[in-house]
Amino acid sequence: MSSTRVLVTGFAPFDGAEVNPSWQAARLLAADPPDGLEVTATELSCVFGTALEELRAAVDAAGPGLGLVLCLGQAGGRTDLTVERVAVNVDDARIPDNAGRQPVDEPVIPGGPAGYFSTLPIKACVAAARAAGVPASVSQTAGTFVCNHVFYGLAHLLATERPDVRGGFVHLPFSPQQVAGRHPAPPSLSVADAVTGLAALLQAAARTTTDLREAGGATH
């Protein structure tokens, strides 16, 4: 059987951090791809605008055989892998990005739709990660910082230019390295465990076209 070609992106460290588990995980997935997948990893700048230019270049470089794009980001404070449901067309930065940019209430894509849903089978992805022993859940918001910026930019690119490719976004918690010495320590997940869950998630995304129908919503 032919393998599914996958592009996985992660971010450079931001907000004074020394590492970003999203890029650490992406790099490991490319170095040791899950069975049936051919994985390429690209590191994105944590910079509005620049990250979308880098994402487009990576998608273009992947060529016409690309099947899936999974963008990864860090969400400090979350407890598990969170598979994002929707990207919204707004940049509203609580902190500056790595270039000092801090847009407020600006569209990601002027004139674009208000939002896009992930085209990955998000609930099947959550179930696969959990079956691999890694905590995971559906998230209803990717925030309004560079992660959502990239998620929306990806969704718009695929909807308008690459409808043959499916894509989505997953947030990772802090890694234990990032919370060592803090008291109280925020939740964390080892990069190795994150990779285990993401590998199962990607395999599920590659083989699943109709998502599971089970509860994955939130009350707030």
Side-chain angles (χ1 to χ4, degrees), residues 2 9 19-20 37 47 49 62 75 78-79 99-100 118 123 126 132 139 149 153 170 187 204 209 211 213:
S2 60
T9 72
V19 297
N20 191 318
L37 305 181
V47 177
R78 294 191 184 181
T79 60
S118 173
K123 294 180 179 179
V126 166
S139 169
H149 181 80
V170 173
T209 54
D211 202 4
R213 186 171 177 81

Side-chain angles (χ1 to χ4, degrees), residues 153-171:
L154 169 67
H156 187 75
L157 174 62
L158 299 187
T160 57
E161 300 182 35
R162 296 294 299 272
D164 55 314
V165 181
R166 294 182 294 147
F169 198 102
V170 173
H171 268 118

